[in-house]
Amino acid sequence: MPVWFRVSSRVARLAATCLRTGARVLVIGPDSCHALITALKKRGLDVTGMTSLPWRAHHAGASQSPDAPWDMLILFMALSGTEGANRNAMAEAARGLAPLALLVDWKRAERNLEVPADVVRRFFFFVTQPRAWRCAMAGYDKAGGLNAVLYAWRRRGRVVAQQACLAGCVGLALVAWEQGLAETKGERSGLAA
């Protein structure tokens, strides 16, 4: 699928700029994220793929362990399929798993140039997806898309980088929790030295 390959290469490039070679990355997304896992492995990252968050992460609570099992968590199209309350709970789970989270999901059109691509995306989903999925996606869009998720997560972490791809339909946002932000700055200064 060439569309997902373009998104996957952009995500892998952003992840590789933030992490050292051999860093542990957890990718949570649908079964179709094999292109992303391959792109991350080509960049020298140790990748684990799952279709949902580990069950123990839901019970992690607000405390983040200093020895998080992964260096980065990538939520690849995992937010749009969940309900609003569960999306907010995912922030706490992500915080317990990794100091950095890279969110990759659909976003609403913000500028006039993004509106035609958003119309094509909605039509494509209307034609190809089942009704239950379309209803969940409509609720996600109505709530504000990826930007609404970032706004809800603003007290838990800070958005370090934000990009758009596929003519503004897909958004990428790198969120650093308080501890992850300090580690990222230290790694970057260590690389520059």
Side-chain angles (χ1 to χ4, degrees):
M1 219 174 183
V3 171
W4 291 125
F5 179 74
R6 293 187 64 194
V7 174
S8 300
S9 62
R10 174 93 49 104
V11 171
R13 189 177 325 126
L14 183 60
T17 58
C18 298
L19 299 172
R20 68 191 184 289
T21 303
R24 299 161 302 163
V25 178
L26 174 64
V27 177
I28 296 175
D31 292 333
S32 62
C33 64
H34 295 295
L36 174 61
I37 292 172
T38 304
L40 289 168
K41 286 183 178 180
K42 285 182 182 178
R43 302 254 180 192
L45 300 173
D46 183 20
V47 183
T48 304
M50 294 183 180
T51 55
S52 64
L53 281 172
W55 65 271
R56 63 182 169 85
H58 291 289
H59 305 291
S63 64
Q64 180 183 7
S65 62
D67 54 343
W70 288 281
D71 296 316
M72 178 182 278
L73 172 69
I74 299 178
L75 293 172
F76 187 75
M77 302 296 171
L79 297 168
S80 54
T82 58
E83 297 178 11
N86 291 338
R87 276 193 297 267
N88 292 334
M90 287 176 81
E92 293 302 322
R95 188 175 172 185
L97 288 172
L100 296 171
L102 182 56
L103 309 179
V104 182
D105 219 317
W106 304 108
K107 68 182 213 65
R108 292 182 65 184
E110 295 176 1
R111 296 182 282 284
N112 290 341
L113 295 174
E114 296 174 350
V115 172
D118 193 49
V119 170
V120 169
R121 172 186 66 97
R122 288 172 190 246
F123 177 74
F124 175 75
F125 288 142
F126 180 76
V127 172
T128 62
Q129 298 297 326
R131 181 176 172 80
W133 197 89
R134 289 193 318 252
C135 291
M137 188 66 184
Y140 176 74
D141 279 342
K142 188 175 182 179
L146 182 63
N147 290 336
V149 172
L150 294 175
Y151 184 76
W153 289 18
R154 72 188 181 282
R155 290 200 175 102
R156 297 177 182 98
R158 190 175 117 195
V159 177
V160 178
Q162 194 170 6
Q163 297 178 5
C165 58
L166 292 183
C169 287
V170 175
L172 312 172
L174 181 64
V175 177
W177 316 118
E178 294 80 21
Q179 177 187 357
L181 185 60
E183 289 176 4
T184 303
K185 287 181 181 177
E187 286 177 6
R188 285 188 181 171
S189 63
L191 291 174

